[in-house]
Amino acid sequence: MDKVFSHDGTAIAYERTGRGPTLVLVGGAFQRRGGFGALPDLLAGHFSVITYDRRGRGDSGDTAPYDVQREVEDLDALIRLAGGTAFVHGMSSGAVLALETAVRGSAVSRLSVYEPPFVVDDSRSPLPADYLEHLGALVKDDARGDAVAYFLTRAVGVPDDAVAGMRHAPFWADMEAVAHTLPYDGAVMGDTMSGRPLPTGRWNTLADRLLVLDGGASDSWIRNGARALPGLHRTLDGQDHGVDPHVLAPALIDFFTTGEMA
């Protein structure tokens, strides 16, 4: 583990494995740099793979006040560390952060995203209008377990009774440990889970260097959201939001080495 300093001085913890052009992996909600499973090792024969703790998580710092631009600058610092340009792959809400980083001018030469959780139609309920406000209040009150439960039920759509059972699982404490960063993911998502179409043209400039992936076994709402983006679209058969790294890795290797997918 090493650290790079972002524009505002926040230390961002990262790890690097492999050799070749740099590929930065951007995690979604709860995800830390070790949360990609076998994916970094599967990619390491082709790329110098960077995984990192988004601010507020793991070994990274967290400078108040939060702003999405600060997370863009964190990722940009890693890209500059890599020599000024890099490939980027984002997962879930991390996919939206990756999109924002690329469209705001960072030197992302090619970008892939897996299932950004957009809600663009009536195939599921949108987030409550006061979602971010309520989530922020729970975090401010240090009600970490309730914040995790609120995120899982309202943003992810997990049934209330299932979440109640999850509270007794060993992994619940790990989610509570980073619950204070859930509003950060909410800010990154902005109004893209409102049930309305994505803002016209917001990411159109990325179309010729963007791969959008979804899972064939995922819910229709998240697949519809992925299809609302420009770029090259591919579906990974049999996969859901918890994509198997052994299925994802070949798709990323094909795209980042050829610009296409076999």
Side-chain angles (χ1 to χ4, degrees):
M1 188 270 289
D2 209 336
K3 292 185 178 181
V4 65
F5 290 92
S6 192
H7 180 73
D8 69 350
T10 302
I12 302 299
Y14 72 93
E15 294 182 6
R16 192 199 306 254
T17 186
R19 301 180 64 181
T22 298
L23 170 56
V24 184
L25 304 183
V26 186
F30 302 119
Q31 203 165 6
R32 291 174 249 194
R33 68 181 189 275
F36 291 92
L39 186 61
D41 288 339
L42 292 169
L43 298 171
H46 302 266
F47 311 104
S48 176
V49 182
I50 291 178
T51 58
Y52 73 104
D53 290 330
R54 286 173 54 187
R55 64 172 52 208
R57 307 180 191 182
D59 294 305
S60 287
D62 191 14
T63 304
Y66 177 82
D67 189 279
V68 174
Q69 180 60 27
R70 302 291 83 76
E71 284 221 74
V72 168
E73 292 165 358
D74 298 346
L75 182 48
D76 192 57
L78 291 164
I79 292 170
R80 287 187 282 106
L81 178 75
T85 186
F87 302 140
V88 174
H89 172 72
M91 304 287 291
S92 193
S93 57
V96 186
L97 176 57
L99 288 165
E100 281 300 291
T101 301
V103 84
R104 295 188 190 194
S106 294
V108 179
S109 52
R110 285 182 191 156
L111 170 65
S112 66
V113 296
Y114 187 81
E115 294 194 343
F118 300 135
V119 181
V120 297
D121 54 28
D122 61 359
S123 54
R124 64 151 275 183
S125 298
L127 288 189
D130 65 345
Y131 168 79
L132 198 53
E133 178 183 0
H134 184 69
L135 183 62
L138 291 172
V139 169
K140 185 177 180 180
D141 291 342
D142 201 31
R144 289 175 173 265
D146 291 341
V148 172
Y150 186 70
F151 167 79
L152 291 174
T153 55
R154 300 301 185 270
V156 182
V158 181
D160 289 347
D161 56 351
V163 172
M166 291 168 64
R167 283 180 179 265
H168 305 289
F171 57 77
W172 188 264
D174 290 335
M175 293 196 292
E176 284 193 0
V178 291
H180 61 286
T181 66
L182 291 173
Y184 302 176
D185 289 283
V188 167
M189 295 306 301
D191 63 356
T192 60
M193 299 184 75
S194 65
R196 299 187 297 271
L198 295 180
T200 302
R202 179 169 175 176
W203 294 297
N204 282 0
T205 58
L206 306 178
D208 62 351
R209 53 191 167 116
L210 174 61
L211 171 66
V212 184
L213 296 163
D214 63 35
S218 289
D219 291 338
S220 60
W221 70 267
I222 203 165
R223 299 188 67 197
N224 293 347
R227 291 167 184 162
L229 283 170
L232 176 66
H233 288 250
R234 291 292 184 270
T235 294
L236 302 182
D237 292 341
Q239 299 302 301
D240 56 21
H241 202 57
V243 61
D244 183 343
H246 292 85
V247 176
L248 177 59
L252 300 186
I253 292 166
D254 286 339
F255 177 68
F256 287 121
T257 56
T258 70
E260 301 176 352
M261 264 190 59

